[in-house]
Structures are given as C-alpha cells and as structure tokens.
Amino acid sequence: MLLRVRVTLPDRPGTLGQVARTLGVSGADIVQVVVLERLGGRAVDDFTVVWPGAARVEGLLAGLAAIPGVRVDGVWRAIGAPTTTGQDAELLAQVAANPTDGVATLVDAVPGLLAADWAVAAVVPLDWASRAGAGTATVGHASWRAPEPPRLPEVTPLRARTLTMADGTHYAIAPFGRAGLVLVVARDHTEPLTAAGFHATEVDRLAQLVRASAVILGDRLDLVGPQSVTTVT
C-alpha cells in the first residue's frame, strides 16, 4: 500500500539522506519526495512510499525518531497515485469540459491530490452570521469514501483554513465565494497510523482549485442541492 510520511528535519546536508536510508532499511520503497516548507533552518518533507502491507510501522517510526533533529509529523495511508505536475490543470480541464458535473468532479478528485480520505461540497446557510455558531451545513456532493452521513465541523464561507477535531480528524476548508458553498476535505484518524494536519501549502492549493472552479462554473454553483449532514462540535 501507499503511505505518506511527513517529517520535519534540519535543513542541512546529509539529513535528507539519513531519512531516505532509514525508510529503505525499514522496508519502504520511496516513490516521491515533496518539500512543503524550508524556513529557519528546518524543512518539512512529504515522502510517498510503497509499504509492505504486513509490516508494522513502529520500527519505521523508531528509526526516524533516532535521527538527530528529525520529527515525524504523521504517517497515513495515501489514496491514489503520487501527485505529479499538471494534475491540477488536468482536473480544471475536466471541470470545464463537463460543467454540469463540475462540482462532483472536483470533490471526487481532490482527496487523491491531497492524500486525504474524503471530501464534501457543503452548503452553509445564508443566515449563518446571525446564528450562535456557523450552523448546520448541508451536502451538495460527497466523494465515494465519505462516511454516511458525513460528519463535518462548523464551517463558514469566509476563508480557506484548517481545523482539527477532538477525535483527531483533520479538515481543510475552502469557500467557493458563492451560494455559501464550501469544499471540505478530511483526513481521518485511524489507528495505528496518525495523519498529519493539512500544511499551509496544501490549503493554498485547495483554495486555488476551488477559486478556479468557481470561475469556470459560475451560476451553476447556485444549483448545487443540499442533503443533511451531521455537524461535529
């Protein structure tokens, strides 16, 4: 199976090689490395690896933790193939080619792009600002791996952001800027693996996809129909 391994490490020669060697010795076959951040002498890297299904991750975690200065931020199962350049443009081309199903196309594709478990296009009530909280959202479309019913945090259609709930589920949220429609992407907490939260670069990527899709779809966003969902507090 594919695993995503996120580590924070010193941004100095040799450390990345130590991490790669440790992954290899533990049985992982590295298929992609993505640098998410370099700041203040530290780097945040995502490794996508092929992992033997019968192997336990405890040895991998212990090996990485033994490298001076290295911190494991998360290990979780990745859905779909590693991301490549051009996938975002290809997705937007598909949305433009079939705008009738544009929202569904976006929602179904985003989890694979962001190594997430599922996604939902949620509709926030127009009077959300006058309520005590953000109110109970409704679902316009849910990806095929979404729970039934999807459990969503309280969301507002104001800005892209991340949330982590008490049960360990991580969310990335990006508004379409129209009709109270918000795209919500989730990484579930599943023992013994622990997913990392969404990085700022991932949230930016999601927001760009949503904004571009909103331009392409325009008035069609007003036609997204609601289904009831459970709100997590």
Side-chain angles (χ1 to χ4, degrees):
M1 62 179 176
L2 281 178
L3 289 182
R4 185 67 58 89
V5 182
R6 180 169 299 172
V7 296
T8 297
L9 64 158
D11 189 13
R12 61 172 180 256
T15 305
L16 181 59
Q18 287 181 280
V19 172
R21 284 193 296 273
T22 299
L23 288 168
V25 169
S26 301
D29 181 13
I30 301 173
V31 294
Q32 186 180 56
V33 182
V34 176
V35 179
L36 297 176
E37 176 183 311
R38 273 198 173 100
L39 184 65
R42 305 283 288 174
V44 180
D45 292 351
D46 268 3
F47 294 82
T48 302
V49 304
V50 177
W51 182 253
R56 297 173 62 87
V57 299
E58 286 82 357
L60 170 62
L61 297 177
L64 292 173
I67 303 173
V70 171
R71 183 185 73 229
V72 179
D73 296 328
V75 179
W76 69 102
R77 188 165 183 170
I79 305 301
T83 58
T84 58
T85 57
Q87 283 183 307
D88 292 9
E90 176 62 27
L91 173 55
L92 293 173
Q94 293 176 17
V95 171
N98 185 12
T100 300
D101 296 324
V103 171
T105 299
L106 181 67
V107 171
D108 288 337
V110 160
L113 296 181
L114 296 181
D117 291 294
W118 52 273
V120 162
V123 182
V124 178
L126 296 178
D127 62 345
W128 64 269
S130 64
R131 304 190 180 200
T136 302
T138 55
V139 168
H141 183 80
S143 67
W144 69 278
R145 289 177 57 89
E148 182 59 43
R151 298 179 68 245
L152 301 180
E154 290 188 342
V155 295
T156 61
L158 290 178
R159 60 182 177 85
R161 61 194 178 106
T162 63
L163 286 173
T164 299
M165 304 309 295
D167 64 358
T169 302
H170 301 292
Y171 295 95
I173 302 163
F176 284 83
R178 189 185 184 103
L181 194 62
V182 179
L183 186 57
V184 182
V185 187
R187 287 180 185 146
D188 293 326
H189 176 74
T190 54
E191 297 289 350
L193 304 179
T194 302
F198 289 92
H199 191 269
T201 57
E202 294 176 307
V203 178
D204 288 344
R205 183 183 184 188
L206 178 65
Q208 291 170 9
L209 283 169
V210 169
R211 287 196 299 266
S213 297
V215 172
I216 293 169
L217 298 175
D219 293 345
R220 292 181 183 272
L221 295 178
D222 299 332
L223 305 177
V224 177
Q227 305 167 1
S228 61
V229 309
T230 302
T231 300
V232 182
T233 58

